[in-house]
Amino acid sequence: EIVLTQSPATLSLSPGERATLSCRASQSISSYLAWYQQKPGQAPRLLIYDASNRAAGIPARFSGSGSGTDFTLTISSLEPEDFAVYYCQQRGNWPPVTFGQGTKVEIK
Amino acid sequence: QVQLVESGGGLVKPGGSLRLSCAASGFTFNDYYMTWIRQAPGKGLEWVSYISSSGGTIYYADSVKGRFTISRDNVKNSLSLQMNNLRAEDTAVYYCARDRNEIVPTSTFDYWGQGTLVTVSS
């Protein structure tokens, strides 16, 4: 089973700042990585699939990069609605599909 | 618009059973693989089970294999999860979710229901 490790666990930033979230896979998953955003009491929302493709309706300030074992989600300029928990998810070697433990982006 | 609505959650004793349902609308249900994903209170996401568009291919997480059964009714546009021999560690919000791509699965999930809470406690 592929383990995804996200860092940092918590990111404290102010609106307008750039957020950089990391996800590392325990073995190569090519570009088969997705990112989700989850707000309290809500279901996750797909942001990025296959490492760098924005899902429908996702603003351009969200971007993804990486391949192999190291991946990054970047939010270029944080909006108030972007403070949430972010999960990465791999489909490079499934089943099982696995998720990272999450990174919380909180207001500084 | 795409909608997924789960139901069937509740409080059940250890060893008990529960059946979750997910009603799908707004898309051609029988073209998509579907999945169940759960989230324990205050914890991260855990994939539970996956079913192909026809129902002919099914996968389970090791943690639920032999206890949970996924199924679908492509006439009624519904997905189900029969959960038997429930344990305290099965306590979670259970989400149904749709694969991002029709016909050819991607194991990436673009629409999720609002979730239904299952609590296993004596």
Side-chain angles (χ1 to χ4, degrees), chain A residues 23 25 27-33 50-51 65-72:
Chain A
C23 178
Q27 59 185 273
S28 178
I29 55 171
S30 185
S31 296
Y32 298 133
L33 189 97
D50 292 348
S65 63
S67 66
T69 60
D70 290 304
F71 300 86
T72 300

Side-chain angles (χ1 to χ4, degrees), chain B residues 28-92:
Chain B
T28 305
F29 183 70
N30 60 12
D31 280 347
Y32 288 84
Y33 281 53
M34 298 292 295
T35 197
W36 288 98
I37 291 165
R38 68 185 181 183
Q39 187 170 36
K43 302 297 185 183
L45 300 166
E46 179 189 16
W47 169 77
V48 173
S49 184
Y50 202 52
I51 187 168
S52 65
S53 51
S54 67
T57 300
I58 285 172
Y59 300 114
Y60 296 102
D62 286 345
S63 58
V64 307
K65 202 172 292 183
R67 300 187 299 123
F68 289 12
T69 303
I70 192 172
S71 61
R72 63 190 296 158
D73 185 331
N74 285 344
V75 174
K76 296 182 177 178
N77 291 345
S78 69
L79 177 72
S80 296
L81 186 69
Q82 176 66 41
M83 305 185 295
N84 297 331
N85 191 19
L86 283 160
R87 306 166 179 167
E89 55 264 35
D90 296 318
T91 295

Side-chain angles (χ1 to χ4, degrees), chain A residues 7 14-15 19-21 26 30 34 38 63 65 69 86 88-89 97 104:
Chain A
S7 62
S14 301
T20 303
L21 288 67
S26 59
S30 185
Q38 188 178 33
S63 64
S65 63
T69 60
Y86 293 82
C88 57
Q89 175 240 314
V97 161
K104 182 179 182 180

